[in-house]
Amino acid sequence: MVKILTHVAITTKNMEETLKFYKEVLGFEKVFELANPDTKEPWIVYVQVCAGQFLELFYGGSRNHTQAEGEIGVNHLCFEVDDVEKTAKHITDLGYQLDILPCVGCDNNLQTWVRDPNGIRIELMQVSPDSPHAAFM
C-alpha cells in the first residue's frame, strides 16, 4: 500500500533563512513552488532531498491556511500510495475516520488525509503524471 515517505511538511518562521539552511548546510535543491489557490500568493516551496523525497516548506503566519497563525514546525507527513481510493477504503474499513476524503489537490495529485492516534496529520498521495512532483520522482 505505502510506497515511500514523499515529504515532511514544515511551517517556517523565515522562508529565506530556511531555504539557505537546507541548501547550504545540507546541500538540498529548491525544485518548485506552489501558489496559494485562494490568494495566489507564494505558499509552498519544495526542496528535494533525493529522488521522490522532499521537504515541503510552508510560509508561516497569515500566508499559511493549514495551521493556526504563528504555529511553526512540523505540519504533516506525506506517504505515496499506489491507489488513494483503495487506501481510503482500507482506512475506513479498519474503523478510522478520514479528515479529507479522496480528492485532487492543487498540485494535481490524488490525496486523502487521516490523523494518527497522536493527532499528527497524514497525507496519503497518489502521484499524478501531470503533477510537479512527477518530474522529480
Side-chain angles (χ1 to χ4, degrees), residues 4-9 56 76-80 121-125:
I4 63 170
L5 173 68
T6 60
H7 66 259
V8 174
E56 185 179 69
H76 67 271
L77 304 176
C78 178
F79 296 96
E80 181 184 358
R121 298 170 62 232
I122 308 291
E123 177 185 2
L124 299 158
M125 177 176 75

Side-chain angles (χ1 to χ4, degrees), residues 89-102:
K89 183 176 179 346
H90 175 74
I91 292 166
T92 57
D93 285 352
L94 290 173
Y96 294 96
Q97 185 175 3
L98 296 172
D99 283 356
I100 299 175
L101 297 174

Side-chain angles (χ1 to χ4, degrees), residues 3 22 31 34 47 49 54 60-61 63 78 80 88-89 94 97 103 115 117 120 126 136:
K3 295 168 73 173
Y22 283 110
V31 289
L34 293 177
V47 175
V49 176
F54 306 90
R63 288 186 175 183
C78 178
E80 181 184 358
K89 183 176 179 346
L94 290 173
Q97 185 175 3
C103 62
R115 291 181 188 265
I120 296 171
Q126 182 179 332
F136 301 98

Side-chain angles (χ1 to χ4, degrees), residues 7-15 18-19 22 43-45 55-77 121:
H7 66 259
V8 174
I10 300 169
T11 302
T12 66
K13 279 192 267 189
N14 180 306
M15 184 62 77
T18 302
L19 281 172
Y22 283 110
W43 184 34
I44 307 170
V45 176
L55 292 179
E56 185 179 69
L57 304 175
F58 283 86
Y59 286 88
S62 61
R63 288 186 175 183
N64 177 16
H65 70 248
T66 60
Q67 281 186 286
E69 188 168 336
E71 282 188 46
I72 303 300
V74 175
N75 181 301
H76 67 271
L77 304 176
R121 298 170 62 232

Side-chain angles (χ1 to χ4, degrees), residues 18-50:
T18 302
L19 281 172
K20 181 178 178 183
F21 174 84
Y22 283 110
K23 288 166 64 177
E24 292 181 5
V25 175
L26 299 179
F28 300 157
E29 179 183 355
K30 175 182 164 184
V31 289
F32 64 92
E33 296 184 46
L34 293 177
N36 181 309
D38 299 325
T39 65
K40 308 302 182 217
E41 290 182 324
W43 184 34
I44 307 170
V45 176
Y46 287 82
V47 175
Q48 188 171 31
V49 176
C50 62

